[in-house]
Amino acid sequence: MPRAVTAIYTVFSTAAATAEAAAKLFADTANEAVTNRGRARIAISGGSTPKNMFKLLAAEPFLSEVPWAKIDLFWVDERCVPPTDADSNYKMTNEALLSHVPLPAEQIHRMEGELEPEVAASRYESQIRIAFRLEGAETPTFDLILLGMGDDGHTASLFPHTEGLDELSRIVIANHVPQKDTWRITLTWPVINQGRKVAFLIEGAAKTDVLAAVLTGPYQPDTYPSQIIRPASGKLTLLLDTAAAAKLPPAVDGTGTLNLS
Ligand SMILES: O=C(O)[C@H](O)[C@@H](O)[C@H](O)[C@H](O)COP(=O)(O)O
């Protein structure tokens, strides 16, 4: 049985407001982690939705608010392409964010999409083990994991009916995605669920029906992998625009709560 968690969704009237809320979540969580633990380890997703948030983080006031020198930035997933490729999550993030902020290069932990998938996955797992000083079978606890969701219900690079959904012990895997005829590198869902704070950023009418199925429909994670994200903290945060949230129970004063059992 899946872990029971409380999904707290906040609905914003525009994509710009959603991006602003996501940037504030990034800054606030980073500052809390640095205050309490001396550093912040954050894993971000790619795709298109986070781009506006990244641009906001690269400008004032967030540029000054974020403790860049104390952040270790990781990716949730990456396409198996070089970092110069138009499909590269790293490329998008570098253009929108990294090339504009004082985040030390050695604290930017890129997934090496240009390598053979399994090699890239095991090298990234080693990078994480070193950065988190993990021993034995320990797994990392990220301070913040920012996720997106595809219109097929996938998150990270955990796509419907793929083998990656069955991986319980590794931190990073290469996941073959037959429906895209491609390989992806991705964090595994148990690692994502261990995040201190796990948040989805979801926008647009293309996500309306699938988000309703994920949050209010029967539990079928092989079909809707986003359902497998049930954080150990007991709380799942969702930042949504009105279009994505259109088929969810109406939010009161902009915020709704769903008990996912
Ligand atoms: O590599 C990726 O594509 C992402 O990490 C992926 O999980 C993304 O979050 C969803 O596909 C949503 O993508 P959009 O934001 O483009 O809708």
Side-chain angles (χ1 to χ4, degrees):
M1 278 303 286
R3 179 185 292 121
V5 302
T6 303
I8 300 170
Y9 56 97
T10 307
V11 183
F12 300 89
S13 56
T14 64
T18 316
E20 171 93 13
K24 185 176 185 321
L25 176 66
F26 184 104
D28 292 352
T29 308
N31 280 305
E32 180 274 332
V34 169
T35 301
N36 294 326
R37 291 176 292 279
R39 46 187 330 101
R41 297 180 179 111
I42 298 174
I44 55 174
S45 286
S48 55
T49 303
K51 195 168 184 175
N52 289 335
M53 172 189 78
F54 293 158
K55 288 179 176 176
L56 287 173
L57 289 171
E60 297 302 348
F62 293 110
L63 181 59
S64 301
E65 284 176 11
V66 173
W68 299 106
K70 297 279 190 182
I71 289 179
D72 277 285
L73 191 69
F74 300 82
W75 273 260
V76 169
D77 66 333
E78 182 57 280
R79 291 81 182 277
C80 289
V81 294
T84 52
D85 190 289
D87 278 347
S88 164
N89 287 334
Y90 170 82
K91 181 178 189 295
M92 181 275 283
T93 311
N94 187 41
E95 289 170 355
L97 177 65
L98 302 179
S99 52
H100 307 285
V101 299
L103 180 54
E106 65 273 17
Q107 292 166 215
I108 299 172
H109 304 277
R110 182 177 70 84
M111 288 178 166
E112 296 166 295
E114 67 276 22
L115 300 181
E116 193 275 329
E118 186 49 52
V119 170
S122 69
R123 280 170 59 92
Y124 204 67
E125 179 149 335
S126 301
Q127 260 201 71
I128 288 177
R129 290 196 172 283
I130 291 165
F132 282 79
R133 297 188 180 85
L134 300 178
E135 294 182 8
E138 285 182 329
T139 52
T141 300
F142 288 90
D143 293 297
L144 174 62
I145 298 182
L146 281 170
L147 299 171
M149 187 187 70
D151 56 14
D152 60 352
H154 85 263
T155 190
S157 281
L158 300 168
F159 284 80
H161 317 300
T162 57
E163 290 183 13
L165 292 170
D166 301 328
E167 178 57 53
L168 301 178
S169 56
R170 292 180 60 186
I171 297 171
V172 187
I173 55 170
N175 192 27
H176 185 238
V177 187
Q179 52 268 55
K180 286 181 173 284
D181 189 25
T182 189
W183 285 85
R184 293 282 190 95
I185 311 301
T186 186
L187 297 183
T188 56
W189 63 261
V191 168
I192 294 171
N193 281 340
Q194 195 167 307
R196 279 191 182 86
K197 188 178 282 283
V198 181
F200 277 98
L201 173 58
I202 304 172
E203 296 169 2
K207 312 291 175 73
T208 306
D209 291 338
V210 68
L211 182 59
V214 164
L215 290 181
T216 63
Y219 184 70
Q220 42 187 346
D222 202 49
T223 301
Y224 296 117
S226 291
Q227 289 184 322
I228 215 162
I229 305 305
R230 298 287 183 94
S233 67
K235 179 182 168 191
L236 177 63
T237 300
L238 298 107
L239 304 177
L240 310 171
D241 70 356
T242 44
K247 291 188 176 176
L248 296 182
V252 177
D253 294 332
T255 299
T257 300
L258 283 168
N259 292 321
L260 307 181
S261 55

